[in-house]
Amino acid sequence: MAPSIIVLVILIIIFLAAAIRILPEYERGVVFRLGRVIGAKGPGLIILIPFIDKMVRVSLRVVTLDVPTQDIITKDNVSVKVDAVVYFRVIDPVKAIVNVEDYVYAISQLSQTTLRSVCGQAELDELLSQRDKLNIKLQEIIDRETDIWGVKVVSVELKRIDLPEELVKAMARQAEAERERRAKIISAEAEYQAAQKLVEAAELLSKQPIAMQLRYLETLTTIGQKNAKTIVFPFPTEMLEFVEKFKRSD
């Protein structure tokens, strides 16, 4: 009697070990019964029929997929190297297992192809200055293609754009020339504004002769405050007017 009980207990243990599965919160189990899918179960305790049911675990967490560097020729015929990162997660475990053999590998290949296609249709300036626009476009295309696999693409980010060394030097020279151009324009604008102010000041002083004398005395005071060996002889401004009248009389 005792050996029969022991054998029965062993069989029960083997049955429970083959039938019971425990899934964490972030996983689901796609169950196949005699080869036919009966749905996704979990999380928590799952009971299977030994030798009849088969379960495939699927994680629902966000997966970070690094897209390898791609050699791309832009729309304006510039050769660059671009890599990206794709964030996605499974929203339908049954589709992810039934509709595609390996959804991670499939998304990797699709991401590489889409990256080459989208970046190849953009010019270099757009590729460098409008990354957000390209990221959204990549995300929309990849997400639309992976919908049948039960996968949701959360976002796509261009990580790095490597330019040829000659192009980097040319862009540096262009940026330096642009800075010099802006500096010259600002300097010329300052000279123009200063000239306008001098004209306004001259017109104002010409209307009030006493103001010209006061400005003359202020200049002498400024010169006298400096520690210099310059000798200044005041010259009456009336003499200038006398000389001007004398010239006119001639």
Side-chain angles (χ1 to χ4, degrees), residues 32 39 50 82 103 109 122 126-127 176 197:
F32 294 85
V82 182
Y103 63 89
Q109 297 301 309
E126 183 181 0
L127 194 62
E176 184 178 359
K197 294 299 181 181

Side-chain angles (χ1 to χ4, degrees), residues 213 216 220 233-243:
Q213 294 182 2
Y216 174 67
L220 293 178
F233 292 97
F235 186 79
T237 56
E238 291 80 0
M239 293 296 296
L240 295 176
E241 297 178 358
F242 176 76
V243 173

Side-chain angles (χ1 to χ4, degrees), residues 164-226:
E165 186 176 356
E166 297 78 6
L167 182 59
V168 173
K169 293 180 180 179
M171 293 176 66
R173 291 194 299 268
Q174 179 183 0
E176 184 178 359
E178 179 65 21
R179 288 194 297 270
E180 291 180 357
R181 183 184 69 85
R182 290 199 299 265
K184 290 180 180 180
I185 291 176
I186 293 173
S187 178
E189 183 68 21
E191 292 291 339
Y192 177 73
Q193 293 178 2
Q196 284 185 324
K197 294 299 181 181
L198 287 175
V199 171
E200 293 175 3
E203 292 178 353
L204 183 63
L205 291 174
S206 63
K207 295 178 181 179
Q208 299 291 336
I210 190 62
M212 189 66 180
Q213 294 182 2
L214 292 175
R215 187 74 182 96
Y216 174 67
L217 294 175
E218 183 180 356
T219 303
L220 293 178
T221 303
T222 303
I223 296 175
Q225 290 177 352
K226 295 181 180 180

Side-chain angles (χ1 to χ4, degrees), residues 6 15 17 34 40 51-52 59 63 81 86 90 95 98 135 141-142 151 155 162 198 201 206 210 214 222 236:
I6 294 175
F15 176 82
L34 297 177
F51 310 110
I52 295 178
S59 176
V63 179
K81 293 183 178 181
V86 179
V90 175
K95 289 183 178 180
V98 175
N135 290 339
I141 295 175
I142 299 174
V151 175
S155 66
D162 292 334
L198 287 175
S206 63
I210 190 62
L214 292 175
T222 303

Side-chain angles (χ1 to χ4, degrees), residues 19-190:
I20 295 177
R21 297 288 186 275
I22 297 177
L23 297 178
E25 184 67 31
Y26 57 84
E27 283 188 350
R28 299 294 183 270
V30 179
V31 180
F32 294 85
R33 180 163 295 168
L34 297 177
R36 296 180 63 87
V37 62
I38 63 174
K41 296 185 179 182
L45 181 65
I46 306 298
I47 298 178
L48 305 176
I49 301 176
F51 310 110
I52 295 178
D53 292 345
K54 178 183 178 182
M55 186 184 72
V56 180
R57 293 174 179 262
V58 180
S59 176
L60 302 184
R61 292 178 293 183
V62 175
V63 179
T64 303
L65 179 63
D66 191 9
V67 181
T69 303
Q70 303 295 309
D71 292 326
I72 298 170
I73 298 179
T74 61
K75 189 176 181 180
D76 47 352
N77 296 324
V78 179
S79 179
V80 296
K81 293 183 178 181
V82 182
D83 58 2
V85 59
V86 179
Y87 301 93
F88 67 90
R89 63 185 180 89
V90 175
I91 58 176
D92 192 332
V94 175
K95 289 183 178 180
I97 298 300
V98 175
N99 292 351
V100 62
E101 181 180 2
D102 186 346
Y103 63 89
V104 176
Y105 178 75
I107 294 175
S108 176
Q109 297 301 309
L110 177 62
S111 300
Q112 296 178 41
T113 304
T114 307
L115 181 63
R116 290 194 298 268
S117 176
V118 172
C119 294
Q121 296 175 3
E123 295 184 355
L124 180 62
D125 291 341
E126 183 181 0
L127 194 62
L128 296 175
S129 62
Q130 299 184 14
R131 288 195 180 186
D132 293 339
K133 179 181 177 181
L134 294 176
N135 290 339
I136 294 175
K137 188 174 182 179
L138 287 168
Q139 188 266 338
E140 291 176 349
I141 295 175
I142 299 174
D143 185 52
R144 184 170 60 249
E145 297 294 331
T146 58
D147 183 64
I148 195 175
W149 301 337
V151 175
K152 172 65 178 177
V153 177
V154 179
S155 66
V156 180
E157 299 289 339
L158 294 176
K159 290 199 306 182
R160 185 178 59 189
I161 301 175
D162 292 334
L163 303 177
E165 186 176 356
E166 297 78 6
L167 182 59
V168 173
K169 293 180 180 179
M171 293 176 66
R173 291 194 299 268
Q174 179 183 0
E176 184 178 359
E178 179 65 21
R179 288 194 297 270
E180 291 180 357
R181 183 184 69 85
R182 290 199 299 265
K184 290 180 180 180
I185 291 176
I186 293 173
S187 178
E189 183 68 21

